[in-house]
Amino acid sequence: MDRRIWLLTFAQFAAATGAYAFTGLLARLADDLGVSLATAGQLSAAYALTYALAGPPAAALTARLDRRDLLVAGLALVGVLNLATAAAPDFATVLALRIAAGAAVTLVLPGVAASMLAPVDQRAKAMAMVLAGLTLAFSFGIPLGTVIGGGFGWRACFVFGGVIALAAAVAVRLGLPPLPSTDRGGAGSAARLLRGPILLALATNALAFTGLFCIAAYLGPIVTAATGIEGGGIGAIQLFIGLGSIAGILLGGRAAMAGGRGLPPALMALLAVALAGYPVLLAFPAASWHAAPLALLVFLGSTSLFALAPLMQARLVALAPEDRAVALALSGAMALAGQGLGAALGGAVIASAGLAWTGAAGALLALAGVVAARAAFRAP
């Protein structure tokens, strides 16, 4: 495997860490800027929504540009915007800068560069290595940002995010060769992708994220309801998200290299089983020993979702080799849209039926994903 792929892993790590490093200090940010916690929470929503809406058209418009230069420009812009956020005087400015950062990160598509650097038989593994940057961000980068912010204030989180983004920009510029694009690009890119297998693959991605986030968005209350654990103890259960993501990336990367077309439906079925376990566990009174089965459910759900990711990216690149940037941008947009829809659906289920039924709602979506995945990964 080309060692330069690790530079792209670093780029993915920097982009994801900078996006969410401040979330652990959200309450302090809200107090300092004089807004409610709910209002401050819109910073992440604004960032994600901007990316989801702007990602595909931005990818289409920039598809013909050199991928290294575009990646460097995107990382540098994200870095500067994070540093500017650290100096923002009020919430309105912070919000505007987060929206701008959400637009800037649409230029950061290291998976596209990886698919160009690696030979065809190594492409899936290379893309899985890039996705490992995302798992490292959630397992180590974002928690480190929280530690830094805890010691030096919430603004230090944005300084941290800005510095690592700029460092990644320099590393990519010095470490990668020019990567002239072979994509067609243009306004017709999205239209060319609106065909059966690609739409089914995107639907599978959306169903997976929507299903899991029916419970992931409410994991803290679920942990407390199932185990009685509160406060910092919840983090011990959340750790299994990171462990599952690492296991999933390793599994999905190996499976993608071996073909692995039969695995996505099985992964969606595993996700459905894991989600169905939540209402079963929550049917019993809270008990500390429930932490073990709950951790297993969290681990299995995270593993299935992250194992699907490299398989999905490899499939999209194979289906759209001349529109890969737009295809991967659409995949990212589906993931972010699924997160938002899952959280909204989970909230509606809680309001109407109670916390225990969030997992059941997610499991039904995952079962629909089994059907979509089977069709999406059917030959050719």
Side-chain angles (χ1 to χ4, degrees):
M1 176 60 63
D2 193 327
R3 293 183 179 180
R4 294 173 297 183
I5 298 296
W6 288 110
L7 295 173
L8 299 171
T9 304
F10 180 36
Q12 184 71 75
F13 170 82
T17 298
Y20 299 109
F22 72 96
T23 54
L25 279 297
L26 197 61
R28 294 190 189 181
L29 181 152
D31 289 342
D32 189 40
L33 297 178
V35 298
S36 69
L37 184 61
T39 299
Q42 299 307 307
L43 293 174
S44 294
Y47 177 94
L49 182 60
T50 301
Y51 178 86
L53 294 176
L61 292 173
T62 60
R64 296 175 184 172
L65 300 180
D66 183 277
R67 307 315 302 182
R68 182 196 65 177
D69 294 344
L70 193 64
L71 186 55
V72 170
L75 287 166
L77 189 54
V78 167
V80 169
L81 288 167
N82 275 322
L83 293 176
T85 305
D90 52 45
F91 180 78
T93 305
V94 172
L95 179 60
L97 288 168
R98 293 313 293 158
I99 292 172
V105 83
T106 61
L107 306 179
V108 181
L109 291 173
V112 177
S115 71
M116 297 172 68
L117 277 175
V120 174
D121 62 336
Q122 295 285 310
R123 182 177 290 164
K125 183 178 180 180
M127 297 176 75
M129 286 174 61
V130 171
L131 284 170
L134 187 62
T135 70
L136 290 171
F138 281 97
S139 300
F140 303 105
I142 294 171
L144 178 58
T146 299
V147 171
I148 292 172
F152 300 97
W154 65 268
R155 295 179 188 274
C157 297
F158 288 103
V159 173
F160 172 59
V163 168
I164 61 172
L166 292 174
V170 172
V172 169
R173 179 64 181 81
L174 297 178
L176 294 186
L179 295 171
S181 177
T182 58
D183 284 15
R184 290 175 290 184
S189 291
R192 289 192 293 269
L193 295 175
L194 297 180
R195 50 191 174 88
I198 293 177
L199 288 176
L200 286 166
L202 294 173
T204 302
N205 205 32
L207 287 167
F209 274 92
T210 305
L212 184 62
F213 271 78
C214 282
I215 62 94
Y218 305 96
L219 186 58
I222 287 172
V223 171
T224 300
T227 68
I229 295 172
E230 297 179 323
I234 294 173
I237 302 297
Q238 290 175 322
L239 175 64
F240 286 87
I241 298 175
L243 294 176
S245 69
I246 294 170
I249 288 294
L250 293 174
L251 172 63
R254 290 182 179 274
M257 287 183 63
R261 290 190 176 182
L263 186 58
L267 290 171
M268 292 300 297
L270 176 61
L271 178 59
V273 170
L275 291 170
Y278 285 89
V280 175
L281 194 59
L282 290 169
F284 296 94
S288 59
W289 69 268
H290 288 169
L294 181 60
L296 178 62
L297 294 178
V298 171
F299 177 83
L300 292 176
S302 180
T303 298
S304 59
L305 184 70
F306 279 90
L308 185 65
L311 289 160
M312 186 66 63
Q313 290 201 353
R315 179 63 170 160
L316 287 171
V317 169
L319 289 170
E322 295 182 308
D323 293 299
R324 65 183 103 186
V326 180
L328 294 184
L330 282 169
S331 179
M334 290 299 101
L336 286 169
Q339 293 173 34
L341 287 172
L345 177 59
V349 170
I350 291 170
S352 60
L355 185 66
W357 293 99
T358 53
L364 291 174
L365 291 172
L367 286 174
V370 172
V371 178
R374 184 176 290 115
F377 285 81
R378 185 179 297 135

